[in-house]
Amino acid sequence: MTEQSPLTIRPGGPGDAPTLIRLFDSAIAWLAERGRTDQWGAEPASIDSRRIAQAEAWAAGDGLHLAEVDTTVVGALVVGAATEYVPPATEPELYVNLLITDRSHAGRGIGTALLAYAAELARARGLGLLRVDCFRSPDRALVRFYESCGFTATDPFTVERPGREPWPGQVLERRLG
């Protein structure tokens, strides 16, 4: 049995936008294979100009952090301000804008490690609240994942999308001691 390489987390930068797109393409394909196109659709992010622009903006900002095994990026975290479609916080917070992992490395705790890192970033900034939102599927799979990481579901919401089905979301929060 070989020992697994350690997971490291590093800041991202402008050159990492293609890496984010690769992670999105992989996640979208994985979800589509399971019939779960209601979260991010079925089309690759690499042909979606909106998703490409979003990845470029995140990579150019200061909130991108990448999880690596050896030199391979296996996950990404973007933190910053809450998105406009969720209820505003009533106190200063750090918001998880993106958490995405490479499903070929599932079971290594990458998402959990990135969320723990986000909590460390919030604490380092003197913040006691970490929030995130996610897709609220009928089986609540993502909601349950975040709850297993110490988050509590707070506000459900719906994003209306012209010409497409509404997107059901769930805000979750984690109080930091």
Side-chain angles (χ1 to χ4, degrees), residues 76-151:
L77 167 75
V78 177
V79 294
T83 52
E84 70 281 352
Y85 53 80
V86 301
T90 58
E91 65 188 84
E93 69 174 340
L94 186 63
Y95 202 87
V96 175
N97 301 108
L98 174 70
L99 177 69
I100 190 167
T101 62
D102 183 335
R103 297 304 304 169
S104 67
H105 292 270
R108 293 210 43 185
I110 297 163
T112 302
L114 284 166
L115 289 172
Y117 187 78
E120 290 174 27
L121 291 171
R123 284 186 196 101
R125 297 174 188 184
L127 301 171
L129 180 63
L130 180 64
R131 288 197 312 157
V132 64
D133 70 80
C134 69
F135 180 66
R136 189 183 74 245
S137 61
D139 68 1
R140 298 176 55 87
L142 276 176
V143 174
R144 284 194 323 271
F145 165 74
Y146 285 109
E147 288 173 337
S148 76
C149 293
F151 287 81

